[in-house]
Amino acid sequence: MDDIELRPPTVASAKHTGLVLDIAALRIHNPLARPDEATYPYIRCTDRRVLRLPEPLYRWATETIALDHATHAAGTPPLFPGQVEFGILDGIMYAELL
């Protein structure tokens, strides 16, 4: 997979909005990778763009994937497709489900 890495913008304050994307899916590339192989989370946007998530968002990605599986198992609507806001606030990269 030859993805472009997502580059969230820096936002001036919590009152400002970062980059909002329409996400079709959040997945892990090569989840059963051998030690010499790469594995990383990525998003597939509704416009078919595929963006690799930067390392500071790996934990958010794995927690969100787990939440998505739990909501599916509970019979509630899936998280995706849906919107996610990405940004950097006070030097910390974030992702927020909208």
Side-chain angles (χ1 to χ4, degrees):
M1 185 176 281
D2 191 25
D3 307 326
I4 297 171
E5 186 169 274
L6 175 70
R7 303 225 184 263
T10 298
V11 294
S13 74
K15 294 180 181 181
H16 292 86
T17 302
L19 173 64
V20 176
L21 295 175
D22 292 315
I23 308 299
L26 170 62
R27 301 283 186 261
I28 301 292
H29 170 73
N30 199 13
L32 301 175
R34 294 187 307 230
D36 61 330
E37 295 176 329
T39 184
Y40 52 85
Y42 68 93
I43 55 174
R44 185 171 38 84
C45 299
T46 56
D47 65 4
R48 299 182 190 224
R49 284 182 295 162
V50 175
L51 301 169
R52 180 180 181 154
L53 294 180
E55 192 277 328
L57 295 178
Y58 283 16
R59 182 174 178 174
W60 171 84
T62 56
E63 291 172 354
T64 303
I65 289 169
L67 177 62
D68 193 41
H69 286 286
T71 59
H72 179 71
T76 57
L79 300 177
F80 302 104
Q83 289 189 320
V84 177
E85 177 186 346
F86 298 95
I88 300 170
L89 179 61
D90 297 327
I92 300 171
M93 193 175 296
Y94 71 89
E96 181 179 341
L97 294 167
L98 301 178

